[in-house]
Amino acid sequence: MRTKQTILNEFDCVLPAKSVNEGVARALVGAFLLQMDPTVEDLSDLKCATSEAVTNAVVHGYRRREGDGGAEGRILLSVAILPDRVVRVTVKDKGCGIEDVARARTPLFTTDPAGERSGMGFSVMEAFTDRLSVRSRPGRGTKVTFYKKMK
Ligand SMILES: Nc1ncnc2c1ncn2[C@@H]1O[C@H](COP(=O)(O)OP(=O)(O)OP(=O)(O)O)[C@@H](O)[C@H]1O
Ligand SMILES: [Mg+2]
């Protein structure tokens, strides 16, 4: 059993899975974390990692819904400030899910059929944060969580 983490401040929002919201999520995370007086580098790392996770939800998680006339998928973005200047970001979708998470996290692995993607999103998230966890169930969705201790 895990004890519940103390949250000093937090921010949750729901965004429709539109590519314009990749930048919106980036800006929201940046604005919320200004209260910590972060370094430019820490802030930029978290913004980049967030935008990779949101981009994945838009382009992969909800890819099957594109143009099907149905309701757009929703992405839940949640940012928490934990003790000791640790930030936790969670990006959750209820999209198609990932069959093999270990394989998906391998650098250069992509399922993009058009070849526009480089398969580096998870590697970027790993490089820019201290810990990355990816939980996914095919047909149910994906939850990406990362932590970073700020200077
Ligand atoms: N939220 C998600 N839902 C479903 N599949 C996902 C999701 N996020 C990632 N994936 C799968 O994991 C693969 C690897 O993701 P990653 O971000 O590393 O690379 P990419 O998105 O293909 O390319 P890049 O991020 O460099 O543009 C994706 O190609 C996709 O198959
Ligand atoms: Mg990606």
Side-chain angles (χ1 to χ4, degrees):
M1 206 177 90
R2 259 198 304 173
T3 46
K4 211 169 177 292
Q5 263 159 332
T6 305
I7 294 171
L8 302 177
N9 198 3
E10 72 181 317
F11 162 74
D12 292 329
C13 74
V14 179
L15 295 164
K18 296 176 187 291
S19 51
V20 67
N21 286 332
E22 296 160 19
V24 171
R26 217 186 134 84
L28 289 171
V29 167
F32 180 71
L33 293 177
L34 280 181
Q35 66 192 282
M36 298 180 80
D37 193 17
T39 65
V40 172
E41 198 189 349
D42 280 349
L43 197 60
S44 139
D45 288 357
L46 279 171
K47 284 160 75 176
C48 285
T50 302
S51 106
E52 289 295 336
V54 173
T55 302
N56 278 352
V58 174
V59 303
H60 304 297
Y62 292 117
R63 70 187 159 223
R64 282 176 205 153
R65 304 235 182 127
E66 256 169 57
D68 70 359
E72 230 154 17
R74 304 255 139 188
I75 298 168
L76 177 72
L77 168 69
S78 151
V79 188
I81 300 175
L82 308 178
D84 300 321
R85 291 183 66 75
V86 173
V87 172
R88 181 186 68 202
V89 177
T90 304
V91 175
K92 206 159 117 183
D93 68 62
K94 290 187 177 170
C96 64
I98 302 174
E99 294 282 344
D100 183 341
V101 170
R103 191 168 61 137
R105 289 178 65 158
T106 309
L108 303 177
F109 175 84
T110 181
T111 51
D112 174 32
E116 279 165 23
R117 307 259 143 211
S118 57
M120 289 305 288
F122 281 130
S123 305
V124 166
M125 289 180 240
E126 258 170 38
F128 287 166
T129 65
D130 299 329
R131 183 151 70 90
L132 172 72
S133 107
V134 183
R135 287 178 54 195
S136 191
R137 282 175 66 193
R140 301 296 289 273
T142 301
K143 181 177 171 185
V144 172
T145 306
F146 46 83
Y147 293 82
K148 186 175 182 74
K149 186 169 165 66
M150 309 292 267
K151 285 186 195 77

